[in-house]
Amino acid sequence: MRALTWQGRRDVRVETVPDPRIEKPDDVIVRITSSGICGSDLHLYELFGPYLDPGDILGHEPMGIVEEVGPEVHSLKPGDRVAIPFNISCRDCFMCNQGLHSQCETTQVRERGTGAALFGYTKLYGHVPGGQAELLRVPFGNKLPIKVPEGPPDDRYVYLSDVLPTAWQAVEYAAVPGGGSVTVLGLGPIGDMSTRVARHRGAGLVIGVDLVDERLERAAANGVTCFDVRRHSGKDLTEAVRDLTDGRGTDAVIDAVGMEAHGAPFAKAAQWVTGHLPDAVAQPLMEHAGVDRLGALHTAIDLVRRGGTLSVSGVYGGAASPMPLLTMFDKQVQVRMGQANVWNWVEDILPLLTDEDPLGVDTFKTHAVPLEDGPKAYTMFQAKEDGMVKTLLKP
């Protein structure tokens, strides 16, 4: 089959690789029809080389058609249409029964001290082949795939794999009161969808912050009050937000940025150096030296009102990142974060994926390209070219 593979920093290629096969009796093989490129994929493209091997298959936002099932699979049959959650969970263990599928005890990567395995996401999370490919082996075939209706295009359901549950959880964790206010930092796919979910769930004021014209325009068209950090930064941004909230700041802030594409030059240089070191040196440095670029997170702490909530959905990588704990304690800020527990939110989201399309999923993508053009799409997404916010690869 053809698959998009990591070969080195800013080097991804579509290559011919062996087809996946049934390895356990409850496996299924899915022929992929759409697979998204995620902002988290750019961390692999740019930074996480120490945890990747040349030839690793990327991608964790796939959907497609079941092609083959193992002998113990009874919930699906060939021809069924499914979306595949990015975290690999058994849905039967203690953690899954708490709704914490991203902490699944069956697939936790204990040798790395991390949570549930993820498709296409490094040795830190199980080193499992990803879904930017023609075929994907999916374990827990009776429990993990999300069966979706026939008829509507993939655009309606593919975001169940990551974007929709991640944004839904970000808003849930933000605990925005009815009619309340929330600031979303970063208007990439997760941030954009978070603004839509927040408005749908009754937020009275939704503020979006970014520095890419097309992203700001896209969010503003959906009723979001937008600030361009090229014009409002630091204290200027804080004051602008407080002016809209009786001087307090918003009830909640969602950090949808994570490891920034723009920010402190020292931390940027540290990340760049880490990405070029030998794996044996780079892995402990990345895990313990705290090379995250925390400008967005510090801004979030500044913008949230006293007693408000900070919801972090952006991915951070350094274990020793300095945090302004004095300010957080003084402001009595509540913080919730973590990988989305996809299956915990499916029953809330599926009823919204209708012809009425309240979240705008049918038109959410900005680009759809053949799998063979995946390397070019990565380059464009990393450079934020051509208004690219969400791209679907079509094998």
Side-chain angles (χ1 to χ4, degrees):
M1 69 171 182
R2 300 289 280 169
L4 191 142
T5 64
W6 184 89
Q7 298 296 332
R9 180 176 177 269
R10 295 194 183 185
D11 182 4
V12 296
R13 307 174 200 170
V14 177
E15 297 188 325
T16 299
V17 301
D19 289 357
R21 56 184 179 81
I22 298 290
E23 297 179 11
K24 295 184 177 181
D26 63 346
D27 285 349
V28 300
I29 303 297
V30 176
R31 180 165 293 280
I32 302 302
T33 54
S34 292
S35 189
I37 299 179
C38 179
S40 296
D41 289 327
L42 294 186
H43 302 328
L44 312 187
Y45 187 64
E46 182 78 19
L47 296 171
F48 275 100
Y51 299 101
L52 291 157
D53 292 332
D56 283 354
I57 301 172
L58 304 182
H60 58 270
E61 298 186 351
M63 71 169 291
I65 306 298
V66 175
E67 184 157 285
E68 183 182 358
V69 301
E72 293 183 7
V73 174
H74 51 77
S75 296
L76 294 172
K77 63 183 185 305
D80 283 343
R81 191 182 191 197
V82 292
I84 308 300
F86 74 97
N87 39 35
I88 303 172
S89 61
C90 69
R91 297 185 63 209
D92 282 324
C93 69
F94 173 85
M95 287 294 178
C96 287
N97 286 330
Q98 307 303 306
L100 295 170
H101 303 92
S102 67
Q103 309 301 323
C104 174
E105 291 183 325
T106 305
T107 72
Q108 277 179 21
V109 186
R110 288 179 171 81
E111 63 270 24
R112 296 281 182 173
T114 55
L118 310 178
F119 287 106
Y121 213 79
T122 80
K123 298 170 187 174
L124 283 172
Y125 288 98
H127 214 203
V128 181
Q132 291 172 358
E134 292 180 326
L135 297 167
L136 178 67
R137 182 183 75 87
V138 179
F140 308 112
N142 291 311
K143 296 281 189 173
L144 182 60
I146 304 168
K147 189 174 179 180
V148 299
E150 297 295 330
D154 283 6
D155 294 33
R156 185 167 299 184
Y157 303 113
V158 66
Y159 308 116
L160 283 168
S161 60
D162 182 351
V163 174
L164 280 166
T166 297
W168 194 276
Q169 180 171 296
V171 175
E172 178 74 18
Y173 281 9
V176 186
S181 57
V182 59
T183 298
V184 179
L185 299 178
L187 295 172
I190 301 302
D192 187 334
M193 185 57 74
S194 294
T195 67
R196 300 175 188 217
V197 171
R199 283 174 53 79
H200 172 77
R201 294 182 59 172
L205 172 65
V206 179
I207 297 171
V209 180
D210 207 288
L211 46 62
V212 179
D213 290 335
E214 294 87 351
R215 296 182 177 192
L216 292 161
E217 292 165 4
R218 177 176 159 105
N222 288 319
V224 177
T225 300
C226 290
F227 289 108
D228 184 338
V229 294
R230 294 169 298 185
R231 300 181 180 89
H232 296 85
S233 61
K235 293 299 180 184
D236 287 343
L237 177 61
T238 301
E239 291 305 316
V241 170
R242 289 179 180 171
D243 284 346
L244 296 175
T245 55
D246 297 322
R248 298 188 187 95
T250 47
D251 296 310
V253 176
I254 295 171
D255 175 3
V257 177
M259 292 180 288
E260 297 175 74
H262 304 271
F266 174 80
K268 178 179 180 180
Q271 285 186 341
W272 187 88
V273 168
T274 303
H276 284 76
L277 292 172
D279 290 358
V281 178
Q283 288 185 15
L285 180 63
M286 185 173 288
E287 291 168 19
H288 300 296
V291 298
D292 284 338
R293 298 160 70 184
L294 298 175
L297 191 56
H298 289 189
T299 297
I301 294 164
D302 202 27
L303 292 176
V304 70
R305 69 162 170 82
R306 291 179 179 273
T309 303
L310 171 58
S311 172
V312 182
S313 62
V315 175
Y316 286 89
S321 300
M323 291 289 290
L325 292 176
L326 174 62
T327 301
M328 296 167 70
F329 182 87
D330 177 66
K331 292 186 71 173
Q332 211 162 321
V333 173
Q334 302 176 75
V335 183
R336 293 199 71 181
M337 63 183 73
Q339 300 279 11
N341 303 298
V342 173
W343 260 105
N344 198 43
W345 312 115
V346 168
E347 291 184 4
D348 294 316
I349 297 168
L350 260 176
L352 302 176
L353 304 183
T354 63
D355 289 344
E356 288 73 27
D357 195 18
L359 300 179
V361 296
D362 288 352
T363 56
F364 189 69
K365 75 170 186 293
T366 55
H367 295 71
V369 302
L371 177 65
E372 296 293 331
D373 291 342
K376 180 180 178 182
Y378 266 76
T379 300
M380 292 175 61
F381 190 31
Q382 197 274 339
K384 298 180 173 66
E385 294 177 350
D386 194 35
M388 183 178 283
V389 177
K390 193 62 187 179
T391 296
L392 298 181
L393 300 178
K394 300 287 187 175

